[in-house]
Amino acid sequence: MTDKKATLSIEGRADAVELPILTGTLGPDVIDVASLTGNGVFTFDPGFTSTASCESKITFIDGNEGVLLHRGYPINDLAENTTYLETCYLLLNGELPDGTQKADFENLISSHTMVNRSIEQFLSGFSYDAHPMSIMCGVVAAMSSFYHDSLDIANPQHRKITAHRLIAKMPTLAAMCYKHYIGQPYMYPKNNMSYAENFLHMMFGTPCEEPNVNPVLAKAMDKLFILHADHEQNASTSTVRLAGSSGANPFSCIAAGIAALWGPSHGGANQAVLEMLNEIGDEKNIDTFVKRAKDKNDPFRLMGFGHRVYKNFDPRAKVMKEACDEVLAELGMENDPLLKIAKRLEQIALEDDYFVSKKLYPNVDFYSGIIMKAIGIPTEMFTVIFATGRTVGWIAHWDEMISNSYKIGRPRQLYTGPSERAVTPIGDR
Ligand code: CMC
């Protein structure tokens, strides 16, 4: 809180309303409009483009400068110098772990990687060709049926063990969705492997063979998880907070976050990028698609370009592009036709006046889709992997909200429907 105040004068009213101005550590000042309701007016901000929905200490974004900090650390620094589990520890606890804390946390997470056998049976009940995001929504919500002993959200220990369970089990569930789809046996987690190695092992290993995970791909996967770990009050995180504000249990809150992430404007964009590249099909068709993206009367958009907050560049995309180049070189896939279309599209969009003037840069989903395709992950699984990495962010925000004083989220509206009227009897309508 500062001494600064904003004054709102409303035409036709004698008294102006004084509104406190709040100042954070970084970022623009925020006008506290909570008292407005007592003055008979609301604010109107569909899409929340100018609204801070909460106070948070976890992540800071400056979209104009392309800055993303987790607990103060720049995302590129974290991606270069920490593992995903270190970043998880940071997001949950506020500080990076020392050597002992890191080892303890890794042991703790690996002790929760298995899922109850009944979850396996529940998952097996889905149609083999169900979209894995629909399976994840259902299975994660269903996990609340297994942990009655630790669902007291007012108990910090219960919240902690739930956070650990979710982080540990998401890769297991994600890989099970894939195995279900291709009809192979579910792979049990290998707790002597790193988080990312274990995930790739459960995805691509079979019980008939010894584990064999390419370390370059495991490193890229770990980076991909770090780059998706949290992103402030985006649609899915806000959904988790809103669901949690009613006191709902954390598994159902994360399931709500998974549902919100699925949309193509959010996490579903990484799948949409690959679908778009397939639709373009050949470098000679790129111009047609770029023209369509620029046509106001055509709903087509270049997937993987643009961002609500980043109007300079997406700092995650920079790191992801480097990881992408490493993966393609490792797999000798520099000349893959689809990836060639992607590179050419990126180049055109970075030079074309429409994209430059509207500040539409390639976002994290553009490169992550390419990396995952190169690793051999099917497109339907892309958003599931985003959800796996993002789980720590969702749960860190949920925990932050529950640990502080909070109110049920209950936005108001500008009503534009009919005024009060009487029902006409059915015979007279
Ligand atoms: N292709 C063509 N034109 C675009 C695109 C695009 N990808 N993105 C925005 N525009 C245009 C849009 O038509 C509008 O033009 P005008 O001002 O002439 O009406 C202008 O740019 C602003 O667009 P907007 O929809 O008002 O911007 P927004 O901040 O509401 O939307 C976005 C952000 C990410 C939803 C949008 O850029 C988009 O749909 N991108 C493609 C989907 C995508 O890649 N999403 C992943 C986002 S990153 C991962 C995550 O954090 O979830």
Side-chain angles (χ1 to χ4, degrees):
M1 177 91 75
T2 63
D3 292 336
K4 281 196 282 180
K5 298 221 179 318
T7 309
L8 176 72
S9 53
I10 303 171
E11 216 178 298
R13 292 204 191 178
D15 295 336
V17 185
E18 281 212 332
L19 301 168
I21 295 187
L22 313 178
T23 301
T25 334
L26 297 167
D29 286 349
V30 170
I31 302 171
D32 179 351
V33 295
S35 65
L36 275 184
T37 178
N39 285 281
V41 282
F42 302 138
T43 51
F44 182 62
D45 183 20
F48 303 117
T49 54
S50 302
T51 297
S53 63
C54 63
E55 189 184 319
S56 180
K57 293 182 170 54
I58 302 173
T59 291
F60 172 76
I61 299 175
D62 181 338
N64 291 326
E65 297 300 322
V67 171
L68 168 59
L69 310 177
H70 291 322
R71 305 279 191 186
Y73 295 106
I75 188 65
N76 58 322
D77 204 357
L78 291 170
E80 287 311 317
N81 298 309
T82 71
T83 62
Y84 175 66
L85 283 186
E86 284 174 70
T87 296
C88 288
Y89 186 98
L90 172 72
L91 288 168
L92 293 174
N93 300 300
E95 295 297 336
L96 282 166
D98 63 23
T100 314
Q101 289 164 330
K102 178 181 172 188
D104 288 349
F105 188 64
E106 285 169 354
N107 284 335
L108 189 63
I109 295 298
S110 50
S111 68
H112 287 291
T113 49
M114 279 200 297
V115 297
N116 191 296
R117 287 302 298 269
S118 302
I119 294 236
E120 287 181 20
Q121 285 157 15
F122 177 45
L123 198 149
S124 301
F126 280 85
S127 168
Y128 81 95
D129 61 350
H131 194 288
M133 282 297 276
S134 75
I135 302 182
M136 289 301 277
C137 288
V139 171
V140 171
M143 285 219 294
S144 54
S145 341
F146 293 86
Y147 301 111
H148 302 293
D149 60 334
S150 52
L151 285 182
D152 176 6
I153 62 168
N155 183 330
Q157 278 313 109
H158 285 201
R159 296 202 299 273
K160 205 174 214 177
I161 191 169
T162 301
H164 298 155
R165 278 183 174 139
L166 275 159
I167 293 166
K169 293 184 201 306
M170 282 296 278
T172 313
L173 293 173
M176 282 167 70
C177 288
Y178 176 56
K179 292 298 196 189
H180 181 61
Y181 175 60
I182 57 170
Q184 284 186 359
Y186 303 136
M187 292 295 288
Y188 287 122
K190 277 238 165 275
N191 289 346
N192 60 348
M193 287 183 160
S194 76
Y195 194 84
E197 271 177 330
N198 179 41
F199 173 63
L200 291 177
H201 164 67
M202 290 187 290
M203 281 286 290
F204 299 115
T206 71
C208 324
E209 286 150 14
E210 287 304 308
N212 179 20
V213 178
N214 179 325
V216 176
L217 304 191
K219 193 170 155 226
M221 201 67 227
D222 196 70
K223 264 193 193 159
L224 200 141
F225 284 139
I226 294 176
L227 295 171
H228 286 95
D230 188 41
H231 212 228
E232 207 229 54
Q233 310 308 327
N234 54 80
S236 55
T237 304
S238 298
T239 301
V240 170
R241 279 189 181 256
L242 196 56
S245 76
S246 74
N249 78 68
F251 295 103
S252 20
C253 297
I254 301 303
I258 295 173
L261 185 76
W262 193 0
S265 297
H266 192 9
N270 52 18
Q271 173 174 345
V273 168
L274 256 284
E275 285 166 357
M276 176 190 74
L277 295 176
N278 274 318
E279 203 188 335
I280 295 176
D282 192 294
E283 279 188 77
K284 70 176 188 315
N285 300 327
I286 291 180
D287 286 346
T288 315
F289 281 84
V290 170
K291 246 187 222 145
R292 283 186 61 195
K294 292 177 357 184
D295 180 355
K296 268 203 162 304
N297 300 317
D298 190 328
F300 175 77
R301 287 187 168 196
L302 279 193
M303 299 314 285
F305 288 83
H307 197 274
R308 164 59 64 79
V309 180
Y310 295 122
K311 300 300 177 194
N312 181 323
F313 63 89
D314 180 341
R316 302 168 300 172
K318 262 191 172 174
V319 183
M320 199 64 94
K321 181 173 163 43
E322 282 165 27
C324 183
D325 290 338
E326 279 168 31
V327 167
L328 297 186
E330 170 70 12
L331 298 174
M333 288 179 73
E334 295 97 329
N335 292 322
D336 182 274
L338 219 54
L339 304 175
K340 273 177 130 173
I341 297 175
K343 294 255 166 192
R344 181 81 192 113
L345 197 61
E346 174 199 17
Q347 191 191 356
I348 291 176
L350 288 175
E351 290 164 2
D352 188 294
D353 188 51
Y354 173 92
F355 293 93
V356 174
S357 63
K358 290 189 188 296
K359 302 184 174 168
L360 301 171
Y361 294 88
N363 58 46
V364 68
D365 288 323
F366 186 69
Y367 299 107
S368 67
I370 300 172
I371 293 186
M372 289 190 274
K373 146 121 177 78
I375 291 179
I377 296 168
T379 43
E380 288 77 13
M381 282 296 294
F382 288 5
T383 317
V384 173
I385 288 168
F386 190 155
T388 302
R390 181 56 56 85
T391 295
V392 65
W394 290 330
I395 203 79
H397 281 273
W398 171 81
D399 185 58
E400 180 179 62
M401 181 183 74
I402 304 288
S403 330
N404 292 290
S405 67
Y406 65 99
K407 283 186 170 161
I408 184 168
R410 178 41 170 107
R412 301 306 302 267
Q413 61 174 4
L414 171 66
Y415 176 69
T416 53
S419 309
E420 185 173 334
R421 48 187 172 158
V423 174
T424 312
I426 185 79
D428 299 339
R429 273 180 244 155

